[in-house]
């Protein structure tokens, strides 16, 4: 007797695979949203905030791998030191804030210049973040450069004349190394207060302070004039253009300041300030 072979199909249990859920812009707010918009984050590839933060870490590491060489060997060493301090300080903040900040402070560091990032000050940065968060809360599309805002707060720190941190217009003194032993602090101050066109901006700020002191005139929170002195003698006066020409509208102000402080003037600067007559 022939027996027919019967096939039995045993059902196989398959593990349910959760469906991929692309994130939407509406899921981000505050500086998370600013980060998404600023860096054009591929949120359609993210299945949650963990993916978002992993992507941020990759972006930040790419920014940190940037070549930090400048025109001199000392530039790279100084840049690395400052950025290392930023990395350490940013551990107390969210990944989006860290990426926004690192991207901002390294973007102008090029091999063709000796520009330095601003030094990290925890209280100043805390104020900066609070300002930005407040602005973004009021206007989610608010566009900002966090370094510029930070530098403004840094100037306020150095130029505060009261506990309220009011910015004062007028002359700021940056002493030479011979006058004050706090060279690093003074070099940082000179760098922060210097106009972007001045030679005192960046790495050279420390070098200049070896022999010279400076008087910087601030107006509406911006540097307008710089006087370079050795001992009690004025050797150079610069306006914003750094073209060795003293702006006519400020000559009377400068002369008054020099005479008030009893400064001497070298011949070339005297000619530029007073002209052939020797008087204003």
């Amino acid at each position: 007797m022939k027996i027919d072979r019967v096939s039995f199909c045993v059902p196989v249990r398959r593990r349910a695979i959760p469906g991929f859920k692309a994130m939407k812009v509406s899921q981000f707010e505050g500086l998370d949203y600013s980060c998404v918009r600023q860096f054009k984050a591929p949120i359609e590839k993210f299945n949650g905030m963990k993916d978002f933060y992993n992507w941020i870490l990759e972006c930040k590491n790419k920014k940190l791998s940037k070549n930090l060489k400048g025109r001199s060997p000392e530039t790279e060493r100084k840049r690395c030191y400052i950025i290392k301090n930023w990395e350490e300080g940013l551990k107390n903040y969210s990944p989006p804030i860290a990426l926004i900040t690192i991207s901002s402070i390294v973007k102008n560091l090029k091999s063709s210049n000796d520009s330095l990032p601003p030094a990290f000050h925890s209280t100043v940065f805390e104020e900066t973040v609070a300002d930005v968060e407040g602005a973004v809360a009021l206007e989610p599309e608010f566009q900002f450069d966090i370094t510029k805002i930070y530098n403004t707060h840094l100037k306020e720190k150095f130029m505060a004349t009261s506990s309220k941190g009011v910015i004062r217009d007028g002359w700021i003194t940056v002493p030479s190394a011979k006058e004050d032993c706090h060279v690093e602090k003074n070099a940082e101050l000179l760098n922060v207060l210097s106009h972007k066109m001045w030679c005192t901006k960046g790495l050279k700020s420390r070098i200049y302070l070896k022999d010279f002191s400076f008087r910087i005139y601030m107006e509406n929170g911006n540097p307008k004039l710089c006087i370079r002195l050795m001992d009690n003698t004025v050797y150079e006066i610069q306006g914003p253009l750094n073209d060795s020409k003293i702006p006519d509208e400020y000559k009377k102000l400068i002369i008054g300041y020099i005479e008030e402080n009893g400064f001497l003037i070298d011949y070339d600067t005297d000619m530029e300030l007073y002209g052939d007559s020797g008087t204003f």
Side-chain angles (χ1 to χ4, degrees):
M1 180 177 174
K2 184 177 179 181
I3 301 176
D4 292 332
R5 190 179 297 271
V6 179
S7 298
F8 293 93
C9 294
V10 179
V12 178
R13 291 188 177 182
R14 298 180 181 275
R15 180 179 295 178
I17 300 175
F20 179 79
K21 296 181 180 179
M23 296 191 76
K24 299 178 181 178
V25 174
S26 59
Q27 293 177 259
F28 299 89
E29 59 183 21
L31 290 181
D32 286 4
Y33 173 71
S34 297
C35 184
V36 168
R37 187 167 51 85
Q38 183 175 334
F39 297 98
K40 297 180 173 59
I43 58 175
E44 70 280 357
K45 298 180 181 179
F46 302 155
N47 197 32
M49 292 302 291
K50 184 177 180 180
D51 291 341
F52 176 48
Y53 287 163
N54 286 337
W55 175 83
I56 285 178
L57 181 60
E58 291 179 8
C59 291
K60 189 181 75 169
N61 288 338
K62 286 181 181 178
K63 298 290 183 183
L64 290 171
S65 65
K66 178 178 180 177
N67 187 337
L68 295 177
K69 290 183 179 180
R71 292 183 297 182
S72 68
E74 178 67 11
T75 300
E76 183 178 14
R77 186 196 68 80
K78 193 71 174 177
R79 285 174 173 176
C80 290
Y81 174 77
I82 294 173
I83 289 175
K84 195 69 178 176
N85 287 338
W86 275 100
E87 284 187 80
E88 191 63 30
L90 287 169
K91 289 179 180 178
N92 298 317
Y93 294 87
S94 69
I97 292 175
L99 175 58
I100 289 170
T101 304
I102 290 295
S103 176
S104 180
I105 65 175
V106 304
K107 69 179 180 180
N108 291 321
L109 306 182
K110 302 176 181 178
S111 59
S112 58
N113 63 41
D114 285 323
S115 298
L116 297 176
F120 178 78
H121 288 271
S122 58
T123 54
V124 177
F125 187 67
E126 186 177 342
E127 293 171 1
T128 302
V129 172
D131 268 6
V132 174
E133 286 179 331
V136 171
L138 291 172
E139 176 48 65
E141 303 297 331
F142 174 67
Q143 296 184 16
F144 60 91
D145 183 331
I146 199 165
T147 299
K148 289 183 179 179
I149 299 172
Y150 177 78
N151 281 335
T152 298
H153 282 284
L154 205 55
K155 286 180 182 179
E156 291 176 0
K157 174 183 182 297
F158 284 122
M159 296 186 295
T161 55
S162 71
S163 59
K164 296 180 180 179
V166 178
I167 299 254
R168 68 178 175 87
D169 286 347
W171 294 97
I172 305 294
T173 297
V174 184
S176 67
K178 293 182 289 186
E179 299 168 323
D180 190 323
C181 63
H182 300 96
V183 181
E184 290 294 338
K185 180 181 178 181
N186 291 327
E188 182 184 329
L189 173 59
L190 181 59
N191 182 39
V192 168
L193 298 182
S194 291
H195 191 280
K196 64 181 180 181
M197 298 291 289
W198 294 346
C199 296
T200 50
K201 190 72 173 177
L203 187 67
K204 290 182 179 178
S205 59
R206 193 181 193 284
I207 298 172
Y208 273 112
L209 289 178
K210 180 180 178 182
D211 298 308
F212 299 99
S213 63
F214 293 84
R215 305 293 189 275
I216 297 177
Y217 183 73
M218 304 296 294
E219 189 174 85
N220 297 322
N222 297 309
K224 294 295 183 181
L225 302 165
C226 182
I227 298 177
R228 177 167 63 93
L229 302 104
M230 179 180 285
D231 299 323
N232 203 46
T233 301
V234 175
Y235 279 87
E236 183 181 9
I237 302 173
Q238 289 288 359
L241 297 180
N242 197 33
D243 56 2
S244 298
K245 293 182 180 180
I246 303 170
D248 289 336
E249 65 268 29
Y250 290 107
K251 283 187 176 181
K252 189 173 182 179
L253 172 73
I254 294 170
I255 290 171
Y257 184 72
I258 288 174
E259 293 180 350
E260 178 185 341
N261 287 277
F263 295 146
L264 303 175
I265 311 177
D266 80 324
Y267 178 78
D268 291 337
T269 306
D270 185 278
M271 290 293 292
E272 173 64 27
L273 186 59
Y274 291 97
D276 295 333
S277 64
T279 59
F280 178 67

